[in-house]
Amino acid sequence: AFLHGLPGVDRVGADQRAAMLGTRSIKTTAKARAIDLAISMVDLTTLEGADTRGKVRAMCVKAVHPGGGAPRVAAVCVYPDLVPVAVEAVAGSGVKVASVATAFPSGRSSLDVKVADTAFAVAAGADEIDMVIDRGAFLSGDYLKVYEEIVAVKAACGEAHLKVILETGELATYDNVRRASWLAMLAGADFIKTSTGKVSPAATLPVTLIMLEAVRDFRDRTGRQVGVKPAGGIRTTKDAVKNLVLVQETAGEDWLTPDWFRLGASSLLNDLLMQREKLATGR
């Protein structure tokens, strides 16, 4: 009843506001600061069936030492079985190790398996868990099942932070994105995340805007702050800067840190580093 009592999202208004904020122009020193801030917010990710220990080690080296004096990224994100490799590779650097869990990316498994998946990753040393919700249950209106699964996974996380992936590309409406955001936060999520990166569309600006409004309103009502992580399809420096503008103008400066905003990406870091070099050298 509470979730259906949330105000509906004005789709036209959300699309127009996101488009307007996406046209903001940031130049020179402000752009340089934005690039470094974006780098520090990246969750550098590899989630492919062909992932190897060597590929994960190489990614971790890049995460810790991006090059050119750039800051380290926020975290690396891998499958649970590769968590020990990542933990060893980033030890002492301050880079977090995140792991997907709960039958990623579909979420189609029993609660026992999802909890075991989470516990396995945490025992291996993961600092953060990225879980997927059961979209079938959510779209069927079985909100209680989704809520109880998030609560159980949060308990299995122990000290690890929990990011709840909504897979917004499958939720069909902006109203559902708002409801799923509130549902995840009420169940104890530390972060709400747009997508797995396996479904299109992924992290669109209007969806991120709606989720930022949700965390802002949730803190106003409960006093608890929750982070946001757009993931999937964020590939260029321009994309990253648009997201930072969205954070500033929607939730405010309190969210403009890696503790409360992340960018899930596999190729974004390369473009950020190239644009950083171009600003510094002209090449």
Side-chain angles (χ1 to χ4, degrees), residues 16-24 209 242 245-246 249-250:
Q16 288 183 345
R17 177 158 177 77
M20 181 271 290
L21 291 174
T23 64
R24 292 283 175 87
L209 170 69
K242 286 179 181 180
V245 171
L246 212 60
E249 296 295 329
T250 306

Side-chain angles (χ1 to χ4, degrees), residues 7-185:
V9 178
D10 178 345
R11 187 177 190 93
V12 173
D15 288 343
Q16 288 183 345
R17 177 158 177 77
M20 181 271 290
L21 291 174
T23 64
R24 292 283 175 87
S25 181
I26 296 178
K27 304 291 186 184
T28 60
T29 54
K31 185 174 182 180
R33 288 178 59 194
I35 288 173
D36 277 3
L37 180 58
I39 291 172
S40 73
M41 292 173 165
V42 167
D43 278 8
L44 194 57
T45 303
T46 183
L47 295 170
E48 302 298 334
D51 286 346
T52 64
R53 297 169 67 88
K55 181 180 179 182
V56 170
R57 287 195 194 98
M59 182 183 73
C60 290
V61 170
K62 187 170 187 175
V64 176
H65 303 291
R72 58 176 171 75
V73 306
V76 292
C77 186
V78 297
Y79 277 115
D81 62 310
L82 289 167
V83 167
V85 179
V87 168
E88 181 181 1
V90 303
S93 68
V95 173
K96 304 290 187 185
V97 175
S99 178
V100 294
T102 66
F104 178 94
S106 68
R108 311 302 306 188
S109 190
S110 69
L111 180 56
D112 287 345
V113 169
K114 292 178 179 182
V115 169
D117 199 21
T118 302
F120 174 80
V122 172
D127 302 295
E128 302 170 354
I129 295 296
D130 290 28
M131 76 165 286
V132 287
I133 66 167
D134 183 337
R135 280 87 73 192
F138 181 88
L139 292 169
S140 299
D142 194 353
Y143 299 148
L144 185 60
K145 179 181 179 183
V146 179
Y147 177 90
E148 289 176 342
E149 285 196 347
I150 297 171
V151 169
V153 172
K154 173 65 176 173
C157 283
E159 296 299 313
H161 279 197
L162 176 63
K163 304 193 200 90
V164 177
I165 306 171
L166 309 181
E167 197 65 289
T168 54
E170 293 183 341
L171 296 187
T173 70
Y174 288 174
D175 285 354
N176 277 341
V177 172
R178 176 171 283 171
R179 288 188 194 115
S181 297
W182 274 84
L183 179 59
M185 293 186 292

